[in-house]
Amino acid sequence: MSAANETVPKRGRAEQDALQDIQAGRSSTRWFCAGGGALWAAAPHSMVRWEERRGTAGGSGPAVLEPSASTMSPPKENVSLLFKLYCLTVMTLVAAAYTVALRYTRTVETELYFSTTAVCVAEVIKLFLSVGILAKETGSLTRLITSLKENVFGSPKELLKLSVPSVVYALQNNMAFVALSNLDAAVYQVTYQLKIPCTALCTVLMLNRTLSKLQWFSVFMLCGGVTLVQWEPAQATKVQVEQNPWLGFGAIAVAVLCSGFAGVYFEKVLKSSDTSLWVRNIQLYLSGIVVNLFVVYMSDGAKVLEKGFLYGYTYYVWFVVFLASVGGLYTSVVVKYTDNIMKGFSAAAAIVLSTVASVILFGLQITVTFSLGALLVCISIYLYGLPRQDTTKIQPSESKSSKERLDTV
């Protein structure tokens, strides 16, 4: 219930009446004083100022409170630069460590594990983490159970709706294992940035958004950089397993297409209702577990029955599963506190770290085309994340100040 639909409280009894309404469960709006003779109504998504009005304009009459023309959004959290740098560092390390560790487990270890089971285990961990965060969000076990009954188990249509990105994400995650089994971590990290133009295209087609000329230029620059990287792929001298670079590049192509579509589809679902992000995540991961179990059965069913679901799992494999589980959830938290420029720096730094790690661990031989292509990709990521400025419209603050200057004259 919004503040505009609440009964206008009488002056002098606003706080008491509002407190009784909240205690009786008749109102979800919180009233409080903020100084200056004004009363604020804090609804779930907005704060509306209620000011004193006495009868008609300039006349007498009983004092009442009415909504002011000036409203304000919920106050933004003040985030320090140090915390933003912490988020940037962790996001960079997770992205780089995931690709390098996954590459290591697919090329160095002798007993190769089933990649399909790793994807499935990661989905299970994500589900439990999301339930835990939702429990903290709801505040009590009773509210958690009620929320799960209403939004998850009591909403089969919503589960079916989220099964679409679940299938796509399952394909994307499995393709990442195929790609890193055939391509070096640094080459993968650079090429995977093709998800940016793919996501941009899906955003334009599915969400009816527009891109600036600079963003389109950065998209073409990124594609050119990836082409240079793939033109003469860097070779890893310490990797002895058989690899198929064309299969790896094809797997990345499928993964970036899945990433672009699933990400935009999930964003559209999130913005189509006010359902909690963590409820949506639970719906997504429940569907994802079912889909990935089917993939395990179809791809490695006989081998899993023979050797076991967790065959070949070492500490390194569990580390990869941990990064895959926490990385996705942590990204949603990081997005809240950082901007596109910082995320661009993070992606560029992850490319550099992956390259250094690949040289040390896998004997990657850096070529001129790889270096130039990686540089173009890093620059394009930065340019794409620059804030858009619409200079064709007059900003409200500018028009207001201009009007004040005219009045003064």
Side-chain angles (χ1 to χ4, degrees), residues 98-109 112-113 180 185 316 320 361-362:
Y98 174 73
T99 54
V100 174
L102 200 160
R103 171 68 173 173
Y104 182 87
T105 60
R106 301 304 291 179
T107 56
V108 176
E109 297 191 348
L112 204 59
Y113 59 98
L180 282 166
Y316 295 110
V320 170
L361 295 176
F362 310 117

Side-chain angles (χ1 to χ4, degrees), residues 49 51 66-71:
R49 175 171 176 155
E51 296 176 335
E66 67 175 5
S68 168
S70 61
T71 61

Side-chain angles (χ1 to χ4, degrees), residues 150-217:
E150 292 179 357
N151 300 308
V152 180
F153 303 109
S155 302
K157 291 183 179 180
E158 296 300 316
L159 283 175
L160 185 62
K161 184 190 300 183
L162 269 297
S163 64
V164 176
S166 296
V167 173
V168 180
Y169 276 132
L171 181 59
Q172 173 195 339
N173 294 331
N174 281 282
M175 287 298 103
F177 279 85
V178 175
L180 282 166
S181 298
N182 293 277
L183 292 174
D184 186 81
V187 177
Y188 170 87
Q189 192 74 264
V190 175
T191 310
Y192 191 66
Q193 301 308 315
L194 285 173
K195 66 181 180 181
I196 294 177
C198 184
T199 303
L201 182 61
C202 291
T203 300
V204 171
L205 296 177
M206 298 173 62
L207 299 181
N208 296 322
R209 293 178 183 169
T210 58
L211 299 180
S212 65
K213 293 180 180 180
L214 181 61
Q215 286 177 317
W216 281 117
F217 173 75

Side-chain angles (χ1 to χ4, degrees), residues 312-378:
Y313 275 56
T314 62
Y315 292 114
Y316 295 110
V317 177
W318 280 112
F319 181 60
V320 170
V321 172
F322 169 78
L323 291 176
S325 306
V326 177
L329 295 177
Y330 188 80
T331 300
S332 63
V333 177
V334 168
V335 168
K336 180 179 179 181
Y337 297 109
T338 61
D339 53 22
N340 285 329
I341 297 178
M342 295 192 71
K343 287 185 287 184
F345 276 119
S346 174
I351 291 174
V352 175
L353 289 178
S354 298
T355 303
V356 173
S358 295
V359 172
I360 297 173
L361 295 176
F362 310 117
L364 182 70
Q365 296 178 336
I366 304 298
T367 62
V368 176
T369 54
F370 175 86
S371 301
L372 182 58
L375 179 62
L376 287 178
V377 168
C378 292

Side-chain angles (χ1 to χ4, degrees), residues 191-359:
T191 310
Y192 191 66
Q193 301 308 315
L194 285 173
K195 66 181 180 181
I196 294 177
C198 184
T199 303
L201 182 61
C202 291
T203 300
V204 171
L205 296 177
M206 298 173 62
L207 299 181
N208 296 322
R209 293 178 183 169
T210 58
L211 299 180
S212 65
K213 293 180 180 180
L214 181 61
Q215 286 177 317
W216 281 117
F217 173 75
S218 64
V219 165
F220 286 111
M221 180 187 292
L222 190 147
C223 294
V226 171
T227 301
L228 284 176
V229 169
Q230 294 296 331
W231 189 264
E232 187 180 348
Q235 300 296 324
T237 58
K238 295 182 181 180
V239 177
Q240 304 299 327
V241 298
E242 184 179 354
Q243 300 177 99
N244 186 342
W246 287 106
L247 176 61
F249 183 73
I252 291 184
V254 174
V256 297
L257 289 173
C258 292
S259 175
F261 172 78
V264 175
Y265 182 96
F266 189 58
E267 179 184 352
K268 190 172 184 179
V269 170
L270 283 176
K271 294 184 177 180
S272 64
S273 67
D274 57 354
T275 306
S276 167
L277 168 64
W278 302 110
V279 170
R280 289 300 190 190
N281 278 339
I282 292 171
Q283 295 170 341
L284 181 68
Y285 299 142
L286 276 176
S287 303
I289 291 172
V290 175
V291 172
N292 280 288
L293 284 175
F294 178 75
V295 173
V296 171
Y297 174 77
M298 295 298 296
S299 180
D300 303 307
K303 296 179 181 179
V304 168
L305 290 176
E306 178 186 353
K307 298 181 178 181
F309 195 85
L310 302 179
Y311 171 77
Y313 275 56
T314 62
Y315 292 114
Y316 295 110
V317 177
W318 280 112
F319 181 60
V320 170
V321 172
F322 169 78
L323 291 176
S325 306
V326 177
L329 295 177
Y330 188 80
T331 300
S332 63
V333 177
V334 168
V335 168
K336 180 179 179 181
Y337 297 109
T338 61
D339 53 22
N340 285 329
I341 297 178
M342 295 192 71
K343 287 185 287 184
F345 276 119
S346 174
I351 291 174
V352 175
L353 289 178
S354 298
T355 303
V356 173
S358 295
V359 172

Side-chain angles (χ1 to χ4, degrees), residues 19-43:
L19 180 62
Q20 293 176 2
D21 287 343
I22 293 173
Q23 291 174 342
R26 294 191 296 268
S27 172
S28 60
T29 302
R30 296 182 300 243
W31 299 85
F32 61 94
C33 290
L39 188 68
W40 288 88

